[in-house]
Amino acid sequence: MASIPDDITIIILSNLPVKSLLRFKCVSKSWFSWISDPKFELSNAQRQQRGAISLLYNKDIPSFLFMTENIVLKDLIYPFNKIVPDVKVGRRFTLGCNLLGSCHGLLLINVEQHIFLWNPTIGFCNKVLELDDLTREGNIGVGGLCFDDSMNEYKALLFIYSTIDDTKKYVIVASLKDKKWRKLEFSHYIPSVRSGVALNGRLHFIQVRRKHDLGHYLDKNYYIRPELKCIDFWAWKGIPPFGELIYFDSISEKFHKFPVPLGLIVGLGVLNECLCVACLRSGGMEILVMKEYGKVESWTSTYVIKNFEINPYFGYAESLFMTEDGEELVIKVSRDQVVAYNLKDDSVRQILVRTPTVCISSITYVPSLISPQGYNWRAKQRTN
């Protein structure tokens, strides 16, 4: 029997699940070398089925769940105490433990002042940054993790704001290599920024409408009213009528506006490796996909969710992933719940729900083999 050419073997391997590849490293030295190559790891991550990671706070005790592409929930081992033994969750410093971003199967997570890079699929976890004086002036609103391919490095982005001092609202960025936080120019209202979706070397954010801008003028079913009335109202109040999309360029480290479809945007995500948004319409919530990145004319309607159980009233609805069979869309609705919407019968089933004792935070996650080296935090860097 003729042997398969190496280049064909590599292509076949790059389409396999991560768990299979971890086993196949033992087949031969060649396979081990191919699978361990950073370019192969990145290529494989881009072919994996998306799932989600959820952080649960149960009576101030954090835990993590992995939600597979078939909506199977799996407990993850909490790894951070092994790396920094003195970590104690619950002090006031940074509001405990937060999911800050996800990129290439890597999670950016802070526990108090410590920031970790974690790949739960392969057990890789390193401390890579620390929060400093720039971050102690306020709360972390939202964050993100992105990859700068021009420098071959990951960067962390944080939105900081104070609920007491209105002047302390700013954005900071740090390379995981040089570990120096820098302030960036940002002209938008920081507390209304949501998401932090990494795609094509950029971080994408949505600026949602603020409740005190519109709240007592519109009823809870405002999005079933004709859109024109809402547009007229916003124009009268001098408020931009549609939610804005903003992206952060990891190379230039600048923010830019992103072309958006017509409508009130309340959610942002990635489906089939394309940027997607949720827009409120007169007949429900429409999911649109940008089939050609950066081209406004390529926004294409894929689904209209008419079930009013998914009502992001002055909140947001983020598409986390599509199930493997393509029948259900998993959506994070504000900070209250994660639901599965059935595309065939318009039904909704709850997966995770916030309670008086349990808080929920969820983010899209792609299993990967990636374990970047050279980012480890060293104590001496505190004084650099």
Side-chain angles (χ1 to χ4, degrees):
M1 179 179 177
S3 61
I4 300 175
D6 290 351
D7 56 344
I8 301 299
T9 302
I10 293 172
I11 292 173
I12 295 172
L13 289 174
S14 67
N15 287 278
L16 296 179
V18 171
K19 288 187 176 180
S20 298
L21 292 172
L22 290 173
R23 295 196 304 268
F24 292 162
K25 277 187 173 184
C26 302
V27 170
S28 68
K29 290 183 179 181
S30 296
W31 283 36
F32 180 88
S33 177
W34 294 335
I35 296 171
S36 301
D37 183 271
K39 291 182 179 179
F40 176 91
E41 292 176 343
L42 181 57
S43 174
N44 176 256
Q46 294 169 343
R47 290 172 166 81
Q48 296 299 310
Q49 179 73 30
R50 289 177 179 263
I53 296 287
S54 293
L55 166 62
L56 306 182
Y57 259 109
N58 190 346
K59 298 181 179 178
D60 294 330
I61 304 299
S63 61
F64 290 90
L65 290 174
F66 172 49
M67 192 182 306
T68 72
E69 66 275 14
N70 297 315
I71 317 184
V72 176
L73 299 178
K74 297 182 179 181
D75 291 318
L76 297 175
I77 297 174
Y78 188 84
F80 310 113
N81 292 340
K82 296 179 181 179
I83 301 170
V84 184
D86 63 340
V87 167
K88 295 179 180 178
V89 176
R91 294 194 303 237
R92 184 64 183 168
F93 185 71
T94 62
L95 301 181
C97 182
N98 298 287
L99 277 170
L100 301 177
S102 174
C103 180
H104 297 165
L106 299 169
L107 297 172
L108 190 71
I109 295 174
N110 83 283
V111 183
E112 306 238 347
Q113 76 270 28
H114 312 285
I115 296 184
F116 299 91
L117 200 61
W118 181 30
N119 184 338
T121 305
I122 61 174
F124 168 85
C125 187
N126 276 337
K127 178 180 174 179
V128 292
L129 288 169
E130 272 195 2
L131 300 177
D132 60 12
D133 292 340
L134 281 177
T135 57
R136 297 183 196 188
E137 297 180 358
N139 302 318
I140 299 175
V142 68
L145 177 68
C146 56
F147 183 68
D148 178 355
D149 59 5
S150 70
M151 301 296 292
N152 193 32
E153 64 181 5
Y154 289 91
K155 294 180 178 179
L157 189 75
L158 298 180
F159 290 76
I160 307 296
Y161 70 95
S162 171
T163 55
I164 301 173
D165 186 348
D166 197 56
T167 64
K168 294 180 179 178
K169 293 181 174 68
Y170 49 87
V171 181
I172 57 176
V173 66
S175 160
L176 301 194
K177 287 184 177 179
D178 70 28
K179 307 187 184 303
K180 296 177 181 178
W181 292 106
R182 304 179 299 281
K183 281 189 177 182
L184 301 176
E185 292 185 7
F186 189 75
S187 59
H188 303 269
Y189 182 68
I190 287 179
S192 68
V193 174
R194 297 288 183 270
S195 298
V197 176
L199 186 67
N200 295 336
R202 295 171 172 177
L203 275 170
H204 304 77
F205 301 91
I206 176 176
Q207 186 173 23
V208 298
R209 295 275 66 80
R210 291 175 283 173
K211 183 174 181 179
H212 67 265
D213 285 336
L214 309 172
H216 58 280
Y217 292 95
L218 301 175
D219 57 74
K220 287 190 177 182
N221 289 324
Y222 76 99
Y223 67 88
I224 65 174
R225 298 171 58 179
E227 254 179 28
L228 185 58
K229 292 183 180 179
C230 298
I231 294 172
D232 287 344
F233 170 80
W234 285 326
W236 172 63
K237 293 292 289 183
I239 299 169
F242 310 121
E244 289 185 312
L245 257 62
I246 309 156
Y247 74 85
F248 170 74
D249 189 301
S250 60
I251 298 175
S252 66
E253 296 191 348
K254 293 183 179 180
F255 289 92
H256 305 274
K257 289 186 178 181
F258 199 80
V260 296
L262 188 67
L264 174 56
I265 300 172
V266 295
L268 183 64
V270 175
L271 291 177
N272 297 322
E273 298 308 308
C274 294
L275 199 67
C276 73
V277 295
C279 290
L280 297 186
R281 307 293 194 193
S282 58
M285 186 171 70
E286 185 178 22
I287 307 297
L288 297 101
V289 170
M290 179 176 259
K291 293 193 172 182
E292 293 185 60
Y293 183 81
K295 294 185 178 181
V296 66
E297 64 273 13
S298 73
W299 283 112
T300 304
S301 177
T302 53
Y303 317 104
V304 177
I305 299 174
K306 299 179 181 179
N307 190 316
F308 288 96
E309 290 182 47
I310 303 179
N311 185 344
Y313 172 54
F314 296 115
Y316 54 96
E318 179 181 334
S319 299
L320 294 174
F321 65 93
M322 184 75 70
T323 55
E324 189 175 28
D325 57 16
E327 293 185 358
E328 291 183 297
L329 179 63
V330 178
I331 303 172
K332 176 175 67 176
V333 183
S334 296
R335 298 181 184 275
D336 298 320
Q337 57 184 325
V338 176
V339 302
Y341 172 74
N342 191 296
L343 302 171
K344 292 184 176 180
D345 61 18
D346 197 47
S347 63
V348 173
R349 63 186 178 100
Q350 293 180 329
I351 303 172
L352 297 172
V353 182
R354 182 174 181 170
T355 70
T357 59
V358 178
C359 296
I360 302 169
S361 176
S362 299
I363 195 169
T364 299
Y365 177 73
V366 180
S368 83
L369 294 160
I370 296 174
S371 56
Q373 304 302 311
Y375 292 155
N376 290 19
W377 176 267
R378 297 183 299 276
K380 67 179 182 179
Q381 289 171 314
R382 293 174 183 270
T383 59
N384 287 353

